[in-house]
Structure formats: C-alpha cells, structure tokens
C-alpha cells in the first residue's frame, strides 16, 4: 500500500507543485501525528526533530494537505484552528470539554442516519459534515 507521504507527493505534482525538502519534512511530521494539533504545535514538533522550516511553510503546507483531504482543519473552541490527520481514518465526530479542552472522538450510527434524514427532508444531499458537541468531561465535573 502507498503510504500517505507518497500520496501527498503525487497530489502536489498533480497541482504542478514541487515536493521540496521543507514540504516533505512538514508532511512527514504532520502525517505522523496521532492527535489534534495546531500549526504552532506542528512547527514545534518539526523543530524538535532538528528540522528547520519556516512558519509560513507550515501554514502553506497545511493548507495544501487540507485541500487534498489528507488533513482536516477544525475550530474546536476559542478561535484556535486545529488539524487532524485523515489518512487511514474514517468519519467521526467530536466531544469537546469546555473546561480542560479534551477532545474525544466518537462514532454513532443513529446520529449519522438522523443527519442524512434531516438533509433529505430539506432536499439536500450531504457531501460532508462536522459535528462538535461541547460540554464538561467527567474528570472536570
């Protein structure tokens, strides 16, 4: 199976973009993430591995990764954009603690069916959606 990095390189080429050393480093560290991360956290992770890349390159590469569907961006709270790797993932929704900012991923077939039903009742065909539920987690209560 072709790994995510190879798919990203092919995507970049299809858009007429080069796979520079900086982009490859950013992609490698981003696709290695197993959590939700900010652009600044990604920059810190890249630099912790001894790589030198610019902040602007990180933001531009994240935008390309989002356009290609390799990563999704979400604003969970407080206006902070977070990213999540979607390579090898399937759709899920999120519970966000408003106290400690913990993010819990969940899947629920009934909610998915209900969203489809609501969309159909309004004459929509769903292409995508994002469900974020905000509350206080058990640890913070």
């Amino acid at each position: 199976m072709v790994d995510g990095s190879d798919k990203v390189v092919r995507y970049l080429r299809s858009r007429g973009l080069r796979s520079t050393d900086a982009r490859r480093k950013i992609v490698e560290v981003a696709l290695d993430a197993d959590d939700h991360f900010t652009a600044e956290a990604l920059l810190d992770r890249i630099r912790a591995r001894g790589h030198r890349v610019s902040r602007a390159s990180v933001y531009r590469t994240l935008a390309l990764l989002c356009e290609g569907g390799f990563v999704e961006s979400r604003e969970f709270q407080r206006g902070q954009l977070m990213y999540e790797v979607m390579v090898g993932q399937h759709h899920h929704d999120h519970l966000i603690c408003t106290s400690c900012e913990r993010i819990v991923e969940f899947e629920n077939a009934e909610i998915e069916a209900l969203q489809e039903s609501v969309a159909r009742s309004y004459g929509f065909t769903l292409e995508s959606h994002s469900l974020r539920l905000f509350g206080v987690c058990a640890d913070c209560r």
Side-chain angles (χ1 to χ4, degrees):
M1 168 143 159
V2 178
D3 77 350
S5 296
D6 290 340
K7 290 179 183 177
V8 172
V9 169
R10 286 199 318 248
Y11 174 74
L12 292 172
R13 285 185 186 144
S14 76
R15 304 238 6 249
L17 300 169
R18 294 181 306 124
S19 176
T20 64
D21 188 47
R23 279 190 183 138
R24 283 190 303 276
K25 289 172 183 170
I26 295 164
V27 168
E28 174 190 327
V29 177
L31 296 185
D32 198 33
D34 60 358
D35 61 348
H36 301 87
F37 57 90
T38 63
E40 291 299 317
L42 178 61
L43 181 59
D44 290 343
R45 292 174 188 182
I46 293 165
R47 290 181 174 166
R49 291 188 185 186
H51 305 303
R52 291 181 46 94
V53 297
S54 72
R55 179 174 278 104
S57 291
V58 168
Y59 279 93
R60 284 192 302 263
T61 302
L62 280 171
L64 288 169
L65 291 173
C66 287
E67 288 171 16
F70 304 102
V71 170
E72 286 186 0
S73 63
R74 293 186 173 82
E75 186 177 327
F76 286 119
Q77 59 188 1
R78 295 191 188 134
Q80 187 172 41
L81 200 58
M82 298 193 79
Y83 298 88
E84 178 178 18
V85 176
M86 297 311 295
V87 175
Q89 295 266 357
H90 54 282
H91 175 77
H92 57 269
D93 296 305
H94 299 89
L95 292 161
I96 300 108
C97 179
T98 56
S99 181
C100 70
E101 300 182 8
R102 179 177 167 208
I103 300 169
V104 176
E105 297 176 350
F106 73 95
E107 298 175 32
N108 185 293
E110 292 175 62
I111 290 174
E112 296 301 315
L114 182 58
Q115 290 174 121
E116 286 284 345
S117 175
V118 168
R120 274 194 312 276
S121 73
Y122 285 92
F124 278 73
T125 300
L126 276 185
E127 293 178 356
S128 69
H129 72 276
S130 174
L131 178 63
R132 299 170 297 152
L133 302 174
F134 297 90
V136 180
C137 71
D139 291 342
C140 291
R141 268 188 312 216

